[in-house]
């Protein structure tokens, strides 16, 4: 930072301190404040959306990978018992189905998801540092304007013997006000426009997300439905009647009766 920049920073810090103690009047711009609050909310939501979107695709990858490992273990269990049984064939079919789903996530969903959702969100979030820089500059110029106005009012209230002080203070005031007004009016005009553009910007991404989730769900249903043909028609009825729970309890009871599982 240059010496002049350091000096300006110190002067602005001093102005802020004097404003906090009530010695310098602070300019309150309700219109800008309202727009800034809306913008900050939008910024926070976009950043959360980007984070959650990444978490979603990571969770989808983790789910299909875990499902594939689960299917592999089930296939080993049933295959080791009787490779020709309906259960073994169902386990093997389940393994193939979930492996295809796991592969499909990487082949059919990763790239489109990145292109239609993650990249647009990243581009939108990239604008915020630029906008925040303009807001920060506006706030600094506001401090300069408030300080110049305070100096001018003091000279008007207590005229100096130096006749050049008042015109100089007036010019500094007018210059500071002009710069601040320009930045302030630009932000008041453009912040609402930025927010209004959010819906048309996110429309394609939202539609793409729904379509991809729908396609994944349809493929999952199709592949897993094919596994059901290895089960007897009575399984669904047994489940509805609560008989499957009874079967599980029956097998657990047999395990408890084994010496190695029984209570000591």
């Amino acid at each position: 930072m240059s010496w002049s920049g350091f000096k300006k920073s110190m002067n602005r810090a001093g102005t802020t301190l004097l404003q906090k103690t009530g010695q310098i009047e602070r300019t309150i711009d309700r219109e800008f404040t309202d727009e800034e609050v809306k913008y900050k909310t939008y910024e926070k939501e976009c950043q959360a959306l980007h984070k959650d979107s990444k978490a979603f695709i990571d969770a989808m990858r983790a789910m299909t990978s875990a499902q594939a490992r689960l299917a592999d273990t089930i296939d080993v269990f049933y295959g080791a018992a009787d490779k020709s049984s309906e259960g073994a064939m169902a386990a093997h079919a389940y393994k193939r189905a979930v492996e295809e789903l796991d592969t499909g996530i990487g082949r059919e969903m990763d790239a489109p998801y990145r292109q239609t959702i993650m990249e647009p969100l990243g581009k939108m979030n990239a604008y915020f540092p630029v906008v925040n820089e303009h807001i920060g500059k506006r706030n600094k110029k506001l401090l300069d304007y408030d300080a110049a106005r305070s100096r001018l009012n003091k000279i008007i209230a207590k005229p100096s013997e130096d006749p050049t002080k008042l015109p100089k203070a007036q010019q500094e005031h007018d210059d500071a006000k002009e710069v601040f007004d320009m930045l302030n009016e630009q932000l008041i005009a453009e912040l609402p426009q930025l927010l209004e553009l959010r819906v048309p910007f996110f429309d394609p991404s939202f539609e793409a997300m729904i379509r991809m989730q729908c396609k994944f769900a349809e493929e999952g249903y199709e592949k897993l439905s094919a596994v059901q043909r290895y089960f007897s028609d009575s399984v669904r009825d047994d489940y509805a009647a609560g008989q499957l729970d009874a079967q599980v309890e029956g097998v657990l009871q047999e395990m408890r009766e084994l010496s190695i599982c029984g209570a000591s």
Side-chain angles (χ1 to χ4, degrees):
M1 180 185 293
S2 65
W3 170 250
S4 62
F6 175 75
K7 188 176 179 181
K8 284 183 179 179
S9 296
M10 293 301 295
N11 288 339
R12 287 165 181 157
T15 300
T16 301
L17 180 61
L18 291 172
Q19 285 179 334
K20 289 181 178 179
T21 58
Q23 298 179 59
I24 291 181
E25 181 183 358
R26 183 198 303 269
T27 297
I28 304 297
D29 189 330
R30 297 295 182 189
E31 187 176 8
F32 171 78
T33 300
D34 290 344
E35 296 302 333
E36 185 184 25
V37 168
K38 295 175 188 176
Y39 161 74
K40 286 298 183 182
T41 300
Y42 175 56
E43 178 187 22
K44 183 179 179 181
E45 288 173 346
C46 282
Q47 290 171 344
L49 189 60
H50 191 256
K51 180 180 178 181
D52 291 340
S53 295
K54 183 180 184 304
F56 171 81
I57 192 65
D58 288 345
M60 291 289 287
R61 295 190 195 104
M63 180 196 69
T64 56
S65 295
Q67 197 175 26
R69 293 192 298 271
L70 177 68
D72 187 59
T73 302
I74 292 175
D75 185 45
V76 170
F77 283 174
Y78 276 90
D82 184 356
K83 290 185 178 180
S84 61
S85 68
E86 288 186 351
M89 288 188 288
H92 190 62
Y94 176 61
K95 178 183 177 181
R96 289 200 311 271
V98 297
E99 283 177 345
E100 289 175 6
L101 285 175
D102 187 32
T103 303
I105 280 284
R107 184 181 65 248
E108 300 175 6
M109 196 167 179
D110 268 10
Y113 191 90
R114 184 178 64 255
Q115 294 169 0
T116 61
I117 296 168
M118 296 304 299
E119 289 181 4
L121 280 169
K123 289 177 181 178
M124 175 56 72
N125 280 300
Y127 285 118
F128 296 134
V130 179
V131 177
N132 290 334
E133 184 178 348
H134 280 280
I135 291 176
K137 186 176 181 180
R138 177 259 182 201
N139 293 339
K140 290 177 181 178
K141 295 304 180 181
L142 176 57
L143 288 172
D144 293 345
Y145 167 53
D146 284 345
R149 185 181 65 238
S150 177
R151 288 193 297 270
L152 176 61
N153 289 338
K154 286 179 181 178
I155 292 175
I156 292 174
K158 188 177 180 180
S160 171
E161 294 180 357
D162 184 349
T164 64
K165 281 193 173 183
L166 180 58
K168 182 179 178 183
Q170 184 68 57
Q171 187 62 50
E172 289 178 351
H173 168 273
D174 294 346
D175 290 345
K177 185 177 186 303
E178 182 180 0
V179 173
F180 165 71
D181 284 344
M182 180 186 66
L183 293 171
N184 194 52
E185 289 168 7
Q186 180 186 30
L187 286 167
I188 290 174
E190 294 186 2
L191 284 178
Q193 294 178 33
L194 177 64
L195 267 64
E196 287 174 4
L197 290 170
R198 69 189 186 280
V199 172
F201 182 84
F202 285 121
D203 262 351
S205 294
F206 179 49
E207 182 178 347
M209 178 178 286
I210 296 302
R211 289 184 180 277
M212 277 185 280
Q213 290 185 36
C214 184
K215 185 174 186 296
F216 179 78
E218 287 174 347
E219 288 187 357
Y221 180 80
E222 179 183 345
K223 294 182 187 303
L224 294 176
S225 292
V227 180
Q228 295 185 76
R229 66 188 179 89
Y230 293 99
F231 300 114
S232 64
D233 295 337
S234 63
V235 170
R236 183 178 300 174
D237 296 333
D238 289 346
Y239 175 75
Q243 294 179 13
L244 292 184
D245 291 340
Q247 291 176 24
V248 171
E249 285 299 323
V251 174
L252 285 174
Q253 182 57 38
E254 291 182 25
M255 289 182 178
R256 295 187 192 102
E257 292 173 358
L258 297 174
S259 297
I260 58 174
C261 296
S264 58

